[in-house]
Amino acid sequence: MIFYLCINIGSLSLIATTELELHVGFWATFLLPMLMFCVGFVVLVAGRRQYVVRPPQGSVILHGGRVIWIAIVNRFSLSAAKPSYQERLGKRYQMPWDDSFVDEIRRALVACKVFVFFPIYWVVYSQMSNNFTSQAATMQLHGIPNDIMQNIDPLTVIIFIPIVDGVLYPALRKAGIAFKPITRITFGFVFAALAMAYAALVQRLIYSAPPCYTNASACDEANHVHVAVQTPGYLLIGLSEIFASVTGLEYAYTKAPTSMKSFVMSLFLLTNAFGSALGIALAPTAQDPKLVWMYVGLAIASLSAGVLFWLLFSKYNATEEEMNALDVKIDVKQTMAPFWCEDALELIVAEVEGEGVYLDRLRHAHMAVGIEEKRKVA
């Protein structure tokens, strides 16, 4: 949530670049982000000693590929890629990983399956930076640049992220309502569908207004509809972003193996590229007088995708804690191994899975054990 909040604070720079384009020129518009990148580069270099940098350990992608290949040749059974399974068969394959790595790959594959529907969401999301801007140009602007309206989206995200994260989610948990990731993403698709349905209504309103009616884009005058009418559409897109995009990033990060988080998150971001490709295919329909039906089609596509998404993946809500416990299990064994025997570690892991003990409490226990060991040595 905090990461996404920071992204949208940065997105408000569109207000500055729009004003620079209008009053200074395009050179100033591009100069501002270049200077910001220079500042960011300096900050990254200056803080390099504060980062946690993992040493190179070979290509985890190659290991993951081998796990999947072994599963395929063994009738799509990931369990066949576990060293414990192969030991019972006389070690048919050489495996530089352990059983936990295979469980992590299984969890990563779940995340990758969930990403399949996101290109449809990104097509809808991208409307605010292209067709919504063109739509605003056919309305009464009253001195407002038509491309400044899209800043309502980051403002919505900035205002509602603290409300959703600090008020809504805790209230739902307190009420006993499990608002888990798959449910949140589904709501994101529904809000996106509502945004497109509202955009269709706005477009219909534009077409029914003088002086240009259905020839709004080619007309020299703007139709008599105030641009502020667009505001709820941007608001709905912003809410969909909080539920779908933010939760998608969270899902990609939490479900990926520790050694594959960057790779799995990059696959999630790749869905944005597929969404852009779909948007290019949709471009021929983005013209008068077809725009109403284009928005209606996007609303139906987003709602249908949300329904299918829920039907296919809602079962993963039931295993959410189990999948997240894999990281805790691995961290417990790696952190406590120097101090406790294997049987004790297994008991701790069982407690983590059964009672939901948080990782920071285990780290405090690790520190306490380390202090006690130092006292004994002294």
Side-chain angles (χ1 to χ4, degrees), residues 218-238:
C219 188
D220 292 334
E221 296 184 59
N223 282 3
H224 296 166
V225 180
H226 198 291
V227 72
V229 174
Q230 279 192 320
T231 302
Y234 284 107
L235 179 65
L236 289 166
I237 285 284

Side-chain angles (χ1 to χ4, degrees), residues 2 48 84 116 171 173 195 200 222 227 233 254 263 306 323 338 347 354 362:
I2 294 174
R48 65 189 184 280
S84 60
V116 168
R173 285 194 295 268
V227 72
T254 58
F263 178 69
M323 288 191 289
L347 288 174
L362 293 169

Side-chain angles (χ1 to χ4, degrees), residues 168-247:
L168 178 62
Y169 290 164
L172 290 174
R173 285 194 295 268
K174 190 173 181 180
I177 300 173
F179 201 51
K180 294 186 177 180
I182 300 300
T183 308
R184 287 183 235 160
I185 294 172
T186 303
F187 268 78
F189 276 94
V190 172
F191 275 116
L194 291 174
M196 292 301 99
Y198 183 79
L201 292 174
V202 172
Q203 193 63 50
R204 180 61 185 166
L205 183 62
I206 292 170
Y207 283 161
S208 62
C212 304
Y213 298 99
T214 58
N215 197 33
S217 298
C219 188
D220 292 334
E221 296 184 59
N223 282 3
H224 296 166
V225 180
H226 198 291
V227 72
V229 174
Q230 279 192 320
T231 302
Y234 284 107
L235 179 65
L236 289 166
I237 285 284
L239 291 173
S240 79
E241 200 176 345
I242 293 172
F243 290 114
S245 183
V246 174
T247 309

Side-chain angles (χ1 to χ4, degrees), residues 24-38:
V24 181
F26 281 102
W27 68 269
T29 301
F30 290 110
L31 179 63
L32 178 62
M34 188 198 77
L35 293 175
M36 290 298 99
F37 270 112
C38 292

Side-chain angles (χ1 to χ4, degrees), residues 62-358:
L62 293 178
H63 290 167
R66 282 195 63 200
V67 167
I68 294 172
W69 173 251
I70 292 171
I72 291 172
V73 298
N74 287 272
R75 299 181 180 180
F76 297 94
S77 173
L78 279 172
S79 296
K82 290 185 175 182
S84 60
Y85 181 91
Q86 290 298 321
E87 279 186 16
R88 294 196 294 270
L89 298 179
K91 291 188 176 180
R92 180 181 172 187
Y93 301 99
Q94 292 296 323
M95 299 176 174
W97 57 78
D98 57 15
D99 287 2
S100 296
F101 180 74
V102 178
D103 290 332
E104 289 180 321
I105 292 293
R106 190 193 308 275
R107 186 178 61 175
L109 289 174
V110 168
C112 291
K113 286 192 292 184
V114 167
F115 301 159
V116 168
F117 286 92
F118 268 89
I120 297 173
Y121 172 77
W122 294 125
V123 173
V124 172
Y125 175 79
S126 66
Q127 298 307 304
M128 73 170 185
S129 58
N130 46 54
N131 285 323
F132 276 23
T133 303
S134 300
Q135 186 185 67
T138 66
M139 305 169 76
Q140 296 288 327
L141 296 172
H142 300 280
I144 302 171
N146 65 310
D147 51 354
I148 210 169
M149 290 295 293
Q150 60 187 298
N151 289 283
I152 296 171
D153 171 74
L155 282 171
T156 300
V157 174
I158 291 169
I159 292 169
F160 280 94
I161 274 184
I163 295 172
V164 169
D165 196 42
V167 179
L168 178 62
Y169 290 164
L172 290 174
R173 285 194 295 268
K174 190 173 181 180
I177 300 173
F179 201 51
K180 294 186 177 180
I182 300 300
T183 308
R184 287 183 235 160
I185 294 172
T186 303
F187 268 78
F189 276 94
V190 172
F191 275 116
L194 291 174
M196 292 301 99
Y198 183 79
L201 292 174
V202 172
Q203 193 63 50
R204 180 61 185 166
L205 183 62
I206 292 170
Y207 283 161
S208 62
C212 304
Y213 298 99
T214 58
N215 197 33
S217 298
C219 188
D220 292 334
E221 296 184 59
N223 282 3
H224 296 166
V225 180
H226 198 291
V227 72
V229 174
Q230 279 192 320
T231 302
Y234 284 107
L235 179 65
L236 289 166
I237 285 284
L239 291 173
S240 79
E241 200 176 345
I242 293 172
F243 290 114
S245 183
V246 174
T247 309
L249 280 171
E250 174 194 335
Y251 207 81
Y253 185 81
T254 58
K255 300 302 175 290
T258 303
S259 54
M260 294 182 67
K261 290 190 182 296
S262 297
F263 178 69
V264 174
M265 289 189 73
S266 68
L267 291 179
F268 173 73
L269 295 175
L270 183 63
T271 62
N272 207 320
F274 289 122
S276 297
L278 289 175
I280 293 172
L282 190 68
T285 65
Q287 56 185 333
D288 295 327
K290 303 175 184 177
L291 285 166
V292 171
W293 293 110
M294 185 202 72
Y295 289 126
V296 169
L298 286 173
I300 293 171
S302 183
L303 183 61
S304 300
V307 172
L308 284 173
F309 181 87
W310 173 257
L311 292 175
L312 290 173
F313 302 128
S314 60
K315 59 186 178 183
Y316 294 129
N317 276 339
T319 59
E320 175 71 13
E321 287 78 13
E322 180 184 342
M323 288 191 289
N324 290 341
L326 284 173
D327 281 341
V328 178
K329 184 191 298 186
I330 293 167
D331 192 89
V332 168
K333 289 189 174 182
Q334 291 177 347
T335 305
M336 313 298 269
F339 307 106
W340 291 342
C341 67
E342 186 66 23
D343 289 342
L345 288 173
E346 292 301 328
L347 288 174
I348 296 170
V349 169
E351 184 179 357
V352 170
E353 293 176 337
E355 302 297 332
V357 178
Y358 290 101

